[in-house]
């Protein structure tokens, strides 16, 4: 049994070594990735459920590295956060998202609100609001075409300073959205204290909702919350028509998911927006 235990420990250590080596390699490559132009954005449309027209776009970051290939954000974002590289990356994403939307506008395509994901580190910068408003000014970008997606824990980890930042941003016209709603925090008091526009219902509540009575109860409660606090709702991760039909019966207006569209390249998104001209 002893030997067995030791074997496991050695295996565990080797695994740990491999993991930290992978992490260090990734960190080194991430530091160069902006300069080497390895990041690009994908765009996933959000639809008005009733009319099935596109009413918004979520920006999703992609990293293509020569040796590592296409690395999923779930893998590289934690590394970028720990090494604080996410601050530069996050700035790049915001700037790139604005430039892309302005380019679409110049091409005669509708400029829909762009939802950009933020990491805790970004929002916890004392001058984050100024960074964003500076970008808006520099690009002459309409603030109401920017939606910032934050999770509940990002808000609550540093509640008072974050509240000030968000109030500042929102007064300039930027919209604030709570991502993965329902998974992060059980105290809902912040809904009345924070300046919010959108709740994004987490995918875990949407998957198979049509056959899961408990999920239906949860989403029904979220719909009521959204009404009470005058917030828009987005259901994310919709993969089936049956889910869509159920969400419609609950009164959810906006939906996002593989059923309607996967995350698209900029040119695919432009093509899709072209079909919506005049909206
Ligand atoms: P998220 O913000 O919750 O984004 C939604 C994720 O669900 C995306 O994964 C999207 O591709 C995926 N998705 C959309 N529709 C469906 C569906 O119908 N079914 C399923 N199974 N998945 C769906 P992705 O692009 O891999 O991003 C993963 C996470 O990485 C995001 O989760 C977000 O937390 C983070 N992320 C992505 N881009 C950025 C960024 O620019 N900055 C920061 N800080 N985080 C980002
Ligand atoms: Ca998101
Ligand atoms: Ca500030
Ligand atoms: Ca989400």
């Amino acid at each position: 049994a002893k030997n067995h235990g030791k074997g496991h420990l050695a295996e565990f250590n080797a695994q740990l070594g491999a993991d930290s080596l992978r992490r260090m390699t990734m960190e080194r490559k991430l530091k160069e990735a902006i300069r080497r132009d390895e990041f690009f954005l994908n765009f996933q449309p959000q639809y008005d459920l009733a009319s099935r027209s596109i009413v918004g776009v979520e920006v999703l970051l992609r990293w293509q590295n020569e040796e590592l290939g296409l690395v999923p954000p779930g893998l590289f974002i934690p590394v970028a956060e720990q090494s604080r590289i996410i601050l530069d990356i996050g700035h790049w994403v915001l700037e790139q998202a604005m430039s892309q939307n302005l380019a679409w506008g110049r091409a005669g395509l509708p400029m829909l609100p762009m939802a950009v994901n933020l990491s805790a580190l970004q929002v916890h910068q004392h001058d984050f609001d100024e960074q964003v408003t500076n970008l808006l000014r520099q690009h002459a970008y309409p603030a109401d075409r920017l939606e910032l997606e934050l999770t509940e824990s990002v808000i609550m980890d540093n509640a008072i300073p974050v509240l000030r930042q968000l109030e500042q941003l929102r007064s300039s016209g930027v919209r604030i959205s709570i991502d993965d709603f329902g998974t992060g925090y059980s105290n809902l008091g912040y809904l009345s204290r924070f300046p919010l526009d959108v709740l994004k219902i987490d995918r875990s509540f949407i998957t198979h909702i049509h056959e899961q009575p408990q999920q239906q109860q949860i989403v029904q409660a979220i719909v009521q919350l959204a009404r009470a606090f005058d917030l828009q709702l987005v259901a994310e991760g919709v993969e089936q028509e049956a889910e869509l039909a159920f969400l419609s019966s609950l009164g959810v207006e906006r939906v996002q998911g593989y059923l309607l569209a996967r995350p698209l390249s900029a040119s695919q998104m432009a093509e899709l927006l072209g079909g919506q001209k005049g909206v």
Side-chain angles (χ1 to χ4, degrees):
K2 245 185 193 166
N3 271 339
H4 193 74
K6 262 190 190 159
H8 269 289
L9 191 63
E11 215 173 272
F12 178 70
N13 281 334
Q15 184 57 40
L16 209 67
D19 282 352
S20 63
L21 186 66
R22 188 145 15 105
R23 179 171 281 270
M24 276 160 52
T25 308
M26 194 179 278
E27 187 175 321
R28 191 161 35 76
K29 291 184 187 304
L30 270 175
K31 281 188 177 136
E32 307 240 281
I34 292 185
R35 192 176 49 76
R36 296 172 66 114
D37 206 20
E38 294 177 350
F39 290 118
F40 61 99
L41 300 181
N42 269 357
F43 304 88
Q44 190 177 31
Q46 299 175 345
Y47 289 80
D48 176 67
L49 204 162
S51 65
R52 297 228 181 172
S53 60
I54 303 175
V55 289
V57 179
E58 180 175 7
V59 173
L60 294 161
L61 180 60
R62 298 291 177 257
W63 180 30
Q64 174 75 53
N65 177 267
E66 227 170 54
E67 285 157 59
L68 303 176
L70 186 64
V71 188
L75 276 186
F76 73 80
I77 286 187
V79 178
E81 280 173 340
Q82 277 196 358
S83 53
R84 304 182 66 85
I85 311 169
I86 193 70
L87 293 176
D88 290 333
I89 299 176
H91 192 267
W92 183 89
V93 171
L94 274 166
E95 186 150 45
Q96 204 65 27
M98 290 182 196
S99 307
Q100 181 58 261
N101 210 12
L102 288 167
W104 284 333
R106 283 193 302 272
L109 300 170
M111 263 185 85
L112 301 173
M114 295 275 238
V116 174
N117 291 287
L118 298 180
S119 102
L121 264 185
Q122 285 177 277
V123 185
H124 295 164
Q125 296 278 292
H126 70 92
D127 63 344
F128 177 70
D129 52 343
E130 282 128 82
Q131 291 180 31
V132 174
T133 41
N134 283 342
L135 277 176
L136 293 170
R137 200 172 320 120
Q138 279 165 27
H139 291 267
Y141 185 92
D144 65 348
R145 297 299 128 112
L146 180 63
E147 194 169 289
L148 301 175
E149 292 197 2
L150 303 86
T151 60
E152 295 166 291
S153 59
V154 166
I155 284 188
M156 295 317 293
D157 279 354
N158 216 350
I160 303 295
V162 170
L163 175 61
R164 288 212 194 88
Q165 310 256 46
L166 296 186
E167 278 172 344
Q168 205 57 45
L169 284 166
R170 194 145 175 282
S171 70
S172 73
V174 172
R175 290 150 52 90
I176 310 292
S177 171
I178 301 298
D179 205 356
D180 307 337
F181 183 74
T183 62
Y185 205 73
S186 53
N187 182 346
L188 295 170
Y190 75 91
L191 287 180
S192 60
R193 289 193 293 127
F194 276 76
L196 305 175
D197 300 280
V198 180
L199 295 184
K200 293 191 79 174
I201 311 170
D202 190 67
R203 169 156 59 91
S204 59
F205 302 121
I206 304 303
T207 306
H208 299 138
I209 187 170
H210 54 289
E211 47 194 29
Q212 301 285 341
Q214 287 183 334
Q215 284 171 222
Q216 292 166 14
Q217 295 294 326
I218 291 172
V219 173
Q220 213 153 20
I222 296 177
V223 170
Q224 271 161 19
L225 270 178
R227 291 217 177 101
F229 289 95
D230 196 22
L231 301 171
Q232 226 171 38
L233 273 181
V234 179
E236 56 180 5
V238 179
E239 294 184 352
Q240 300 185 52
E241 285 291 346
E243 294 164 354
L244 200 67
F246 204 89
L247 291 167
S248 170
S249 78
L250 289 182
V252 174
E253 319 95 30
R254 262 164 90 184
V255 286
Q256 182 181 347
Y258 292 169
L259 174 70
L260 298 144
R262 293 198 166 240
L264 306 172
S265 70
S267 61
Q268 288 172 320
M269 189 68 222
E271 202 172 308
L272 203 59
L273 288 172
Q276 292 234 126
K277 253 182 201 172
V279 169

